[in-house]
């Protein structure tokens, strides 16, 4: 089941993020933008975003974390749910900063593509990680197509 982070599941989400070795600081506003996968009353995945400060139609995926045992279908549902949330608030492009080769493969499978990090600045610095982006309006038209031509 996919649902938004809310007052009923917030503490479970914080526990889930605390268990992750990748998160060093949990930001409440990012958590509250999130959507989660819930299995047997446990959080097993989250996708969250932050609106861009420089372009109000762009967002950055901030938390995209899940347990290894979730299915590709569950990941698809979480991404689709996130896409619909973004469309409702007029976000047209989503960017992800990727630190894991497993996540890189997933995002490539769903139509994200790599952009040169030298053209992306976050807090005045260009990240030394893989940068992926996708246009929200064509996302999932064909989730196995990897060759979208999209500019951020």
């Amino acid at each position: 089941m996919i649902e938004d982070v809310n007052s009923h599941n917030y503490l479970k989400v914080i526990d889930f993020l605390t268990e992750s070795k990748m998160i060093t600081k949990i930001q409440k506003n990012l958590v509250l933008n999130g959507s989660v996968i819930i299995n047997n009353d446990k959080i097993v995945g989250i996708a969250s975003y932050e609106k861009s400060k420089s372009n109000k139609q762009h967002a950055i995926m901030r938390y995209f974390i899940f347990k290894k045992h979730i299915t590709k279908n569950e990941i698809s549902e979480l991404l689709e749910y996130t896409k619909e949330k973004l469309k409702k608030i007029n976000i047209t492009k989503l960017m992800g900063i990727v630190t894991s080769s497993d996540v890189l493969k997933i995002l490539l499978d769903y139509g994200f593509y790599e952009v040169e990090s030298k053209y992306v600045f976050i807090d005045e610095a260009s990240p030394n990680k893989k940068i992926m982006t996708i246009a929200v309006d064509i996302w999932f038209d064909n989730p196995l197509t990897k060759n979208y031509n999209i500019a951020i």
Side-chain angles (χ1 to χ4, degrees), residues 6-92:
N6 57 51
S7 60
H8 301 292
N9 63 26
Y10 180 79
L11 292 178
K12 288 181 184 179
V13 174
I14 296 300
D15 289 343
F16 173 76
L17 291 172
T18 302
E19 291 173 9
S20 171
K21 306 275 188 272
M22 298 181 71
I23 304 296
T24 57
K25 179 182 175 188
I26 297 173
Q27 295 176 315
K28 184 176 182 176
N29 63 318
L30 300 179
V31 173
L32 293 173
N33 282 345
S35 303
V36 292
I37 302 171
I38 301 174
N39 285 341
N40 299 321
D41 203 37
K42 294 185 190 264
I43 307 294
V44 296
I46 184 171
S48 183
Y49 64 90
E50 177 180 22
K51 287 183 181 181
S52 170
K53 293 177 179 104
S54 62
N55 186 327
K56 298 301 178 197
Q57 291 185 305
H58 294 179
I60 301 168
M61 188 178 297
R62 293 298 300 265
Y63 298 138
F64 184 55
I65 301 167
F66 47 87
K67 304 258 182 179
K68 289 192 179 218
H69 65 273
I70 69 171
T71 66
K72 184 174 182 177
N73 187 50
E74 288 172 311
I75 294 171
S76 294
E77 289 175 15
L78 180 61
L79 288 171
E80 180 66 26
Y81 190 94
T82 301
K83 176 188 82 166
E84 293 305 316
K85 282 177 64 170
L86 293 172
K87 286 171 85 173
K88 287 178 186 175
I89 59 171
N90 297 316
I91 299 293
T92 60

Side-chain angles (χ1 to χ4, degrees), residues 58 93-95 113 115 119-120 131-134 150-152:
H58 294 179
K93 298 230 179 359
L94 179 65
M95 180 183 303
Y113 71 98
V115 296
Y119 299 118
V120 177
I131 309 295
M132 308 300 291
T133 190
I134 192 164
I150 309 162
I152 58 170

Side-chain angles (χ1 to χ4, degrees), residues 18 21 42 52 88 97 103-104 116 121 132 136 148:
T18 302
K21 306 275 188 272
K42 294 185 190 264
S52 170
K88 287 178 186 175
I97 299 172
V103 172
L104 177 64
E116 288 191 55
F121 295 91
M132 308 300 291
V136 172
Y148 291 124

